Amino acid sequence: MKKWSVIRLTSLIGGLAAITSIVTIIFLIKKIEGDYTRDAVKPHQTDSHELRLLLDEANRDNNRRISTVEETCKRRHLGRYQDRNFESFYKHPPAPQYTVFFIDMVHNLSYCPVYKAGSTTWFYNLCLLNGIPEEALANSSGQISIIARSVLPEMELSEAVEALEKSRKLLVVRHPFERLLSAYRDKLENSVAGREHGTLHFYKKYGSKIVAKFRDERIAPPRSDQVIRPKDIPPPAGIEPTWREFVQYLIHTDLASYGDDHWMPYYLFCTPCLIRFNIIAKVETLWRDQIFAIHELGMENQLTPKWRHNNAGSSSAAEIYFTQLTPNLVRQLYEKFKLDFELFDYSPMDYYEYATGDAP
């Protein structure tokens, strides 16, 4: 009997060891893939050598990004490199839009929020830094940008100019096409769902006008394999603009005068040719860049990097929605946002391959 018990105990131990090994392997795979980084992980909890490698890599990328912006602005004669003897192709603002910045002088940080490019994450961070408890943010039904503005109100112009000059400046960007598609799907694709986030307002202000101007009866509505319809929300009413119609609106509209913050080009909204940003993060590497920014700003004991977005980088949604477009429409859209592509080193090439739509 004792011998049988020993055998069973040995088998049990062996089984537990095998399970432990499997769990360890799965964790390592997840770690390599980066899935675990979507959970809250404090920088100082990371292995110090691993953290140093991560920060060094992020610092090199950040310096490259800053240099690319400087070189592009200089080559295009924009902003602080404006040359009166050179007529630029781009209509560039003469001064920054100081009112769009969230300036936190207590923490020496000025943030330009590019909507649909990691803004939720950094609005959340700013709220935490300024004393709003995480539990209150989690239970709030208000928009995070409005909550952030309540603790960091707009400054008078003279005060904002001085504060922006003295503080560290943060910018987060995303592949321009991915940002535009995200804005379309969030604000214009469905006027029935998401009304608490303003979809009906966006339909009345933009969507109805886009449909009236760009709907072409010769173009068939998008097929079911050219859109994504989540099962847990009501479908669109059928009056909303298609992705193709929205793209046509972007191509043919003076966005400096008639655009919305959610699809305003980076060079117009945050004016990186006028303002030297110290930290340029990207949604594609946002978790790593968050850790870098938090360390650069000396906030590692105040903030914990967290992922507050559903998607990052190139998405399968783009592969689906861009089938509504022709290669020519993709080219025109690229030309419209070309400066953003150049400033932040993005490429449109993959998206031409997705474009299989028919011309009217």
Side-chain angles (χ1 to χ4, degrees), residues 40-62:
V41 180
K42 291 186 178 180
H44 66 261
Q45 290 176 328
T46 307
D47 177 79
S48 59
H49 176 66
E50 182 181 332
L51 175 60
R52 176 46 50 196
L53 292 176
L54 180 148
L55 293 176
D56 287 346
E57 177 189 64
N59 185 56
R60 288 192 298 271
D61 282 350
N62 189 60

PDB file of all heavy atoms in Angstrom, residues 40-62:
ATOM      1  N   ALA A  40      -0.860  46.036 -16.298  1.00  0.00           N
ATOM      2  CA  ALA A  40      -0.092  47.044 -15.566  1.00  0.00           C
ATOM      3  C   ALA A  40       1.217  46.436 -15.073  1.00  0.00           C
ATOM      4  O   ALA A  40       1.226  45.434 -14.368  1.00  0.00           O
ATOM      5  CB  ALA A  40      -0.911  47.532 -14.376  1.00  0.00           C
ATOM      6  N   VAL A  41       2.321  47.025 -15.454  1.00  0.00           N
ATOM      7  CA  VAL A  41       3.635  46.569 -15.013  1.00  0.00           C
ATOM      8  C   VAL A  41       4.457  47.795 -14.672  1.00  0.00           C
ATOM      9  O   VAL A  41       4.664  48.655 -15.520  1.00  0.00           O
ATOM     10  CB  VAL A  41       4.362  45.766 -16.117  1.00  0.00           C
ATOM     11  CG1 VAL A  41       5.730  45.321 -15.617  1.00  0.00           C
ATOM     12  CG2 VAL A  41       3.548  44.552 -16.513  1.00  0.00           C
ATOM     13  N   LYS A  42       4.886  47.917 -13.452  1.00  0.00           N
ATOM     14  CA  LYS A  42       5.696  49.057 -13.067  1.00  0.00           C
ATOM     15  C   LYS A  42       7.105  48.893 -13.612  1.00  0.00           C
ATOM     16  O   LYS A  42       7.675  47.804 -13.574  1.00  0.00           O
ATOM     17  CB  LYS A  42       5.760  49.188 -11.543  1.00  0.00           C
ATOM     18  CG  LYS A  42       4.422  49.606 -10.935  1.00  0.00           C
ATOM     19  CD  LYS A  42       4.567  49.873  -9.463  1.00  0.00           C
ATOM     20  CE  LYS A  42       3.239  50.350  -8.873  1.00  0.00           C
ATOM     21  NZ  LYS A  42       3.367  50.622  -7.432  1.00  0.00           N
ATOM     22  N   PRO A  43       7.703  49.994 -14.117  1.00  0.00           N
ATOM     23  CA  PRO A  43       9.046  49.904 -14.675  1.00  0.00           C
ATOM     24  C   PRO A  43      10.049  49.325 -13.691  1.00  0.00           C
ATOM     25  O   PRO A  43      10.895  48.533 -14.064  1.00  0.00           O
ATOM     26  CB  PRO A  43       9.371  51.369 -15.015  1.00  0.00           C
ATOM     27  CG  PRO A  43       8.034  51.996 -15.265  1.00  0.00           C
ATOM     28  CD  PRO A  43       7.100  51.313 -14.326  1.00  0.00           C
ATOM     29  N   HIS A  44       9.946  49.708 -12.399  1.00  0.00           N
ATOM     30  CA  HIS A  44      10.965  49.225 -11.472  1.00  0.00           C
ATOM     31  C   HIS A  44      10.784  47.752 -11.113  1.00  0.00           C
ATOM     32  O   HIS A  44      11.621  47.164 -10.442  1.00  0.00           O
ATOM     33  CB  HIS A  44      10.985  50.092 -10.205  1.00  0.00           C
ATOM     34  CG  HIS A  44       9.739  49.991  -9.365  1.00  0.00           C
ATOM     35  ND1 HIS A  44       8.734  50.926  -9.418  1.00  0.00           N
ATOM     36  CD2 HIS A  44       9.343  49.067  -8.458  1.00  0.00           C
ATOM     37  CE1 HIS A  44       7.781  50.599  -8.566  1.00  0.00           C
ATOM     38  NE2 HIS A  44       8.120  49.469  -7.982  1.00  0.00           N
ATOM     39  N   GLN A  45       9.655  47.156 -11.581  1.00  0.00           N
ATOM     40  CA  GLN A  45       9.476  45.732 -11.357  1.00  0.00           C
ATOM     41  C   GLN A  45      10.145  44.906 -12.461  1.00  0.00           C
ATOM     42  O   GLN A  45      10.241  43.705 -12.362  1.00  0.00           O
ATOM     43  CB  GLN A  45       7.979  45.411 -11.321  1.00  0.00           C
ATOM     44  CG  GLN A  45       7.285  45.969 -10.072  1.00  0.00           C
ATOM     45  CD  GLN A  45       5.811  45.730 -10.106  1.00  0.00           C
ATOM     46  OE1 GLN A  45       5.199  45.709 -11.163  1.00  0.00           O
ATOM     47  NE2 GLN A  45       5.210  45.554  -8.930  1.00  0.00           N
ATOM     48  N   THR A  46      10.552  45.590 -13.528  1.00  0.00           N
ATOM     49  CA  THR A  46      11.216  44.906 -14.621  1.00  0.00           C
ATOM     50  C   THR A  46      12.678  44.689 -14.261  1.00  0.00           C
ATOM     51  O   THR A  46      13.288  45.484 -13.563  1.00  0.00           O
ATOM     52  CB  THR A  46      11.125  45.767 -15.898  1.00  0.00           C
ATOM     53  OG1 THR A  46       9.755  46.095 -16.115  1.00  0.00           O
ATOM     54  CG2 THR A  46      11.650  45.021 -17.099  1.00  0.00           C
ATOM     55  N   ASP A  47      13.241  43.602 -14.730  1.00  0.00           N
ATOM     56  CA  ASP A  47      14.656  43.349 -14.512  1.00  0.00           C
ATOM     57  C   ASP A  47      15.470  44.563 -14.940  1.00  0.00           C
ATOM     58  O   ASP A  47      15.253  45.125 -16.008  1.00  0.00           O
ATOM     59  CB  ASP A  47      15.063  42.108 -15.329  1.00  0.00           C
ATOM     60  CG  ASP A  47      16.542  41.837 -15.212  1.00  0.00           C
ATOM     61  OD1 ASP A  47      16.967  41.272 -14.203  1.00  0.00           O
ATOM     62  OD2 ASP A  47      17.269  42.237 -16.147  1.00  0.00           O
ATOM     63  N   SER A  48      16.414  44.989 -14.085  1.00  0.00           N
ATOM     64  CA  SER A  48      17.133  46.243 -14.327  1.00  0.00           C
ATOM     65  C   SER A  48      17.908  46.218 -15.636  1.00  0.00           C
ATOM     66  O   SER A  48      17.949  47.224 -16.353  1.00  0.00           O
ATOM     67  CB  SER A  48      18.084  46.535 -13.159  1.00  0.00           C
ATOM     68  OG  SER A  48      19.016  45.477 -13.002  1.00  0.00           O
ATOM     69  N   HIS A  49      18.522  45.080 -15.982  1.00  0.00           N
ATOM     70  CA  HIS A  49      19.259  44.988 -17.241  1.00  0.00           C
ATOM     71  C   HIS A  49      18.300  45.064 -18.426  1.00  0.00           C
ATOM     72  O   HIS A  49      18.548  45.786 -19.401  1.00  0.00           O
ATOM     73  CB  HIS A  49      20.045  43.676 -17.291  1.00  0.00           C
ATOM     74  CG  HIS A  49      20.763  43.458 -18.596  1.00  0.00           C
ATOM     75  ND1 HIS A  49      21.813  44.257 -19.012  1.00  0.00           N
ATOM     76  CD2 HIS A  49      20.557  42.545 -19.591  1.00  0.00           C
ATOM     77  CE1 HIS A  49      22.236  43.842 -20.199  1.00  0.00           C
ATOM     78  NE2 HIS A  49      21.484  42.807 -20.561  1.00  0.00           N
ATOM     79  N   GLU A  50      17.185  44.339 -18.309  1.00  0.00           N
ATOM     80  CA  GLU A  50      16.170  44.362 -19.360  1.00  0.00           C
ATOM     81  C   GLU A  50      15.602  45.769 -19.517  1.00  0.00           C
ATOM     82  O   GLU A  50      15.383  46.243 -20.638  1.00  0.00           O
ATOM     83  CB  GLU A  50      15.056  43.375 -19.009  1.00  0.00           C
ATOM     84  CG  GLU A  50      13.954  43.262 -20.048  1.00  0.00           C
ATOM     85  CD  GLU A  50      12.869  42.281 -19.628  1.00  0.00           C
ATOM     86  OE1 GLU A  50      13.181  41.350 -18.865  1.00  0.00           O
ATOM     87  OE2 GLU A  50      11.726  42.472 -20.058  1.00  0.00           O
ATOM     88  N   LEU A  51      15.363  46.436 -18.395  1.00  0.00           N
ATOM     89  CA  LEU A  51      14.836  47.794 -18.432  1.00  0.00           C
ATOM     90  C   LEU A  51      15.824  48.744 -19.093  1.00  0.00           C
ATOM     91  O   LEU A  51      15.439  49.596 -19.903  1.00  0.00           O
ATOM     92  CB  LEU A  51      14.516  48.273 -17.011  1.00  0.00           C
ATOM     93  CG  LEU A  51      14.052  49.728 -16.871  1.00  0.00           C
ATOM     94  CD1 LEU A  51      12.773  49.961 -17.662  1.00  0.00           C
ATOM     95  CD2 LEU A  51      13.846  50.086 -15.396  1.00  0.00           C
ATOM     96  N   ARG A  52      17.098  48.605 -18.781  1.00  0.00           N
ATOM     97  CA  ARG A  52      18.112  49.486 -19.366  1.00  0.00           C
ATOM     98  C   ARG A  52      18.170  49.289 -20.882  1.00  0.00           C
ATOM     99  O   ARG A  52      18.266  50.263 -21.638  1.00  0.00           O
ATOM    100  CB  ARG A  52      19.468  49.190 -18.724  1.00  0.00           C
ATOM    101  CG  ARG A  52      20.664  49.960 -19.307  1.00  0.00           C
ATOM    102  CD  ARG A  52      20.405  51.426 -19.515  1.00  0.00           C
ATOM    103  NE  ARG A  52      19.846  52.077 -18.350  1.00  0.00           N
ATOM    104  CZ  ARG A  52      19.253  53.264 -18.376  1.00  0.00           C
ATOM    105  NH1 ARG A  52      19.103  53.906 -19.527  1.00  0.00           N
ATOM    106  NH2 ARG A  52      18.780  53.790 -17.271  1.00  0.00           N
ATOM    107  N   LEU A  53      18.091  48.052 -21.346  1.00  0.00           N
ATOM    108  CA  LEU A  53      18.084  47.790 -22.783  1.00  0.00           C
ATOM    109  C   LEU A  53      16.869  48.420 -23.440  1.00  0.00           C
ATOM    110  O   LEU A  53      16.956  49.020 -24.514  1.00  0.00           O
ATOM    111  CB  LEU A  53      18.102  46.277 -23.045  1.00  0.00           C
ATOM    112  CG  LEU A  53      19.383  45.530 -22.675  1.00  0.00           C
ATOM    113  CD1 LEU A  53      19.199  44.027 -22.894  1.00  0.00           C
ATOM    114  CD2 LEU A  53      20.568  46.040 -23.483  1.00  0.00           C
ATOM    115  N   LEU A  54      15.708  48.287 -22.779  1.00  0.00           N
ATOM    116  CA  LEU A  54      14.479  48.860 -23.316  1.00  0.00           C
ATOM    117  C   LEU A  54      14.584  50.375 -23.408  1.00  0.00           C
ATOM    118  O   LEU A  54      14.222  50.973 -24.425  1.00  0.00           O
ATOM    119  CB  LEU A  54      13.304  48.450 -22.422  1.00  0.00           C
ATOM    120  CG  LEU A  54      11.906  48.942 -22.808  1.00  0.00           C
ATOM    121  CD1 LEU A  54      10.861  47.896 -22.395  1.00  0.00           C
ATOM    122  CD2 LEU A  54      11.573  50.270 -22.126  1.00  0.00           C
ATOM    123  N   LEU A  55      15.088  51.012 -22.355  1.00  0.00           N
ATOM    124  CA  LEU A  55      15.208  52.466 -22.338  1.00  0.00           C
ATOM    125  C   LEU A  55      16.227  52.959 -23.359  1.00  0.00           C
ATOM    126  O   LEU A  55      16.025  53.996 -24.000  1.00  0.00           O
ATOM    127  CB  LEU A  55      15.583  52.958 -20.937  1.00  0.00           C
ATOM    128  CG  LEU A  55      14.521  52.754 -19.853  1.00  0.00           C
ATOM    129  CD1 LEU A  55      15.065  53.183 -18.498  1.00  0.00           C
ATOM    130  CD2 LEU A  55      13.245  53.522 -20.187  1.00  0.00           C
ATOM    131  N   ASP A  56      17.315  52.218 -23.521  1.00  0.00           N
ATOM    132  CA  ASP A  56      18.321  52.603 -24.524  1.00  0.00           C
ATOM    133  C   ASP A  56      17.739  52.530 -25.933  1.00  0.00           C
ATOM    134  O   ASP A  56      17.962  53.421 -26.758  1.00  0.00           O
ATOM    135  CB  ASP A  56      19.547  51.690 -24.420  1.00  0.00           C
ATOM    136  CG  ASP A  56      20.401  51.988 -23.184  1.00  0.00           C
ATOM    137  OD1 ASP A  56      20.191  53.054 -22.576  1.00  0.00           O
ATOM    138  OD2 ASP A  56      21.248  51.152 -22.840  1.00  0.00           O
ATOM    139  N   GLU A  57      17.000  51.463 -26.206  1.00  0.00           N
ATOM    140  CA  GLU A  57      16.373  51.313 -27.520  1.00  0.00           C
ATOM    141  C   GLU A  57      15.361  52.429 -27.768  1.00  0.00           C
ATOM    142  O   GLU A  57      15.332  53.043 -28.839  1.00  0.00           O
ATOM    143  CB  GLU A  57      15.673  49.958 -27.598  1.00  0.00           C
ATOM    144  CG  GLU A  57      14.920  49.734 -28.909  1.00  0.00           C
ATOM    145  CD  GLU A  57      14.057  48.481 -28.867  1.00  0.00           C
ATOM    146  OE1 GLU A  57      13.110  48.446 -28.048  1.00  0.00           O
ATOM    147  OE2 GLU A  57      14.320  47.554 -29.644  1.00  0.00           O
ATOM    148  N   ALA A  58      14.536  52.710 -26.768  1.00  0.00           N
ATOM    149  CA  ALA A  58      13.532  53.761 -26.898  1.00  0.00           C
ATOM    150  C   ALA A  58      14.185  55.124 -27.077  1.00  0.00           C
ATOM    151  O   ALA A  58      13.698  55.957 -27.862  1.00  0.00           O
ATOM    152  CB  ALA A  58      12.622  53.770 -25.670  1.00  0.00           C
ATOM    153  N   ASN A  59      15.277  55.356 -26.375  1.00  0.00           N
ATOM    154  CA  ASN A  59      15.984  56.637 -26.493  1.00  0.00           C
ATOM    155  C   ASN A  59      16.545  56.819 -27.898  1.00  0.00           C
ATOM    156  O   ASN A  59      16.459  57.914 -28.477  1.00  0.00           O
ATOM    157  CB  ASN A  59      17.101  56.708 -25.459  1.00  0.00           C
ATOM    158  CG  ASN A  59      17.781  58.054 -25.453  1.00  0.00           C
ATOM    159  OD1 ASN A  59      17.150  59.091 -25.284  1.00  0.00           O
ATOM    160  ND2 ASN A  59      19.092  58.053 -25.661  1.00  0.00           N
ATOM    161  N   ARG A  60      17.129  55.757 -28.455  1.00  0.00           N
ATOM    162  CA  ARG A  60      17.654  55.844 -29.833  1.00  0.00           C
ATOM    163  C   ARG A  60      16.524  56.140 -30.820  1.00  0.00           C
ATOM    164  O   ARG A  60      16.664  56.988 -31.711  1.00  0.00           O
ATOM    165  CB  ARG A  60      18.374  54.546 -30.210  1.00  0.00           C
ATOM    166  CG  ARG A  60      19.713  54.343 -29.513  1.00  0.00           C
ATOM    167  CD  ARG A  60      20.486  53.192 -30.149  1.00  0.00           C
ATOM    168  NE  ARG A  60      19.789  51.921 -30.030  1.00  0.00           N
ATOM    169  CZ  ARG A  60      19.932  51.092 -28.993  1.00  0.00           C
ATOM    170  NH1 ARG A  60      20.723  51.422 -27.984  1.00  0.00           N
ATOM    171  NH2 ARG A  60      19.281  49.938 -28.968  1.00  0.00           N
ATOM    172  N   ASP A  61      15.401  55.441 -30.658  1.00  0.00           N
ATOM    173  CA  ASP A  61      14.258  55.686 -31.547  1.00  0.00           C
ATOM    174  C   ASP A  61      13.738  57.106 -31.383  1.00  0.00           C
ATOM    175  O   ASP A  61      13.383  57.772 -32.363  1.00  0.00           O
ATOM    176  CB  ASP A  61      13.137  54.685 -31.254  1.00  0.00           C
ATOM    177  CG  ASP A  61      13.401  53.324 -31.859  1.00  0.00           C
ATOM    178  OD1 ASP A  61      14.346  53.199 -32.656  1.00  0.00           O
ATOM    179  OD2 ASP A  61      12.664  52.368 -31.520  1.00  0.00           O
ATOM    180  N   ASN A  62      13.681  57.565 -30.151  1.00  0.00           N
ATOM    181  CA  ASN A  62      13.181  58.921 -29.897  1.00  0.00           C
ATOM    182  C   ASN A  62      14.082  59.968 -30.553  1.00  0.00           C
ATOM    183  O   ASN A  62      13.597  60.922 -31.175  1.00  0.00           O
ATOM    184  CB  ASN A  62      13.087  59.174 -28.396  1.00  0.00           C
ATOM    185  CG  ASN A  62      12.384  60.471 -28.068  1.00  0.00           C
ATOM    186  OD1 ASN A  62      11.225  60.675 -28.408  1.00  0.00           O
ATOM    187  ND2 ASN A  62      13.093  61.385 -27.403  1.00  0.00           N
TER     188      ASN A  62
END
